């Protein structure tokens, strides 16, 4: 993997993870209320807009990344995003790691390591 591809991959993982965590922060505010009031509250919070910005930049980095790798390789490498998001959810939102989730993290990480090394 070239340094440019690795850099774009890391940017992609960071932006996707950051966007998902920002959306979770916007959606999990206990003061949000219900229905339309919830959506208005979320729209007034910076987390929603940070998530949208991260997703817009993620799209650009994803296109740049895919221009340099095969789609099949790119999709497999992007699987690590799920692992990063799960770890972020655990650290920031105290979400639980069940044995099955840990097994999933290990399997996805092993798959990404195999694909990343050219296997």
């Amino acid at each position: 993997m070239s340094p440019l591809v690795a850099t774009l991959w890391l940017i992609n993982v960071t932006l996707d993870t950051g966007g998902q965590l920002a959306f979770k922060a916007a959606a999990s505010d206990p003061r949000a209320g219900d229905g339309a009031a919830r959506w208005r509250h979320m729209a007034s919070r910076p987390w929603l807009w940070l998530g949208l910005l991260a997703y817009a930049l993620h799209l650009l980095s994803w296109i740049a990344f895919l221009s340099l790798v095969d789609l099949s390789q790119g999709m497999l490498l992007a699987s690590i995003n799920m692992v990063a998001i799960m770890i972020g959810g655990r650290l920031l939102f105290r979400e639980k790691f069940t044995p099955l989730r840990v097994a999933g993290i290990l399997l996805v990480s092993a798959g990404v390591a195999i694909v990343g090394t050219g296997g």
Side-chain angles (χ1 to χ4, degrees), residues 8 12 55-69:
L8 287 170
N12 182 276
Y55 260 45
L57 295 172
H58 170 256
L59 175 64
L60 296 175
S61 71
W62 179 243
I63 292 168
F65 176 70
L66 285 182
S67 73
L68 300 172
V69 299

Side-chain angles (χ1 to χ4, degrees), residues 54-118:
Y55 260 45
L57 295 172
H58 170 256
L59 175 64
L60 296 175
S61 71
W62 179 243
I63 292 168
F65 176 70
L66 285 182
S67 73
L68 300 172
V69 299
D70 292 339
L71 180 60
S72 58
Q73 181 186 22
M75 288 304 300
L76 288 169
L77 288 171
S79 297
I80 202 69
N81 295 10
M82 290 183 291
V83 173
I85 292 164
M86 288 176 69
I87 292 170
R90 172 73 179 121
L91 295 173
L92 297 176
F93 303 108
R94 300 194 189 336
E95 295 180 353
K96 303 291 183 216
F97 276 177
T98 64
L100 281 176
R101 288 181 187 176
V102 171
I105 286 172
L106 295 173
L107 288 170
V108 168
S109 298
V112 171
I114 291 168
V115 171
T117 59

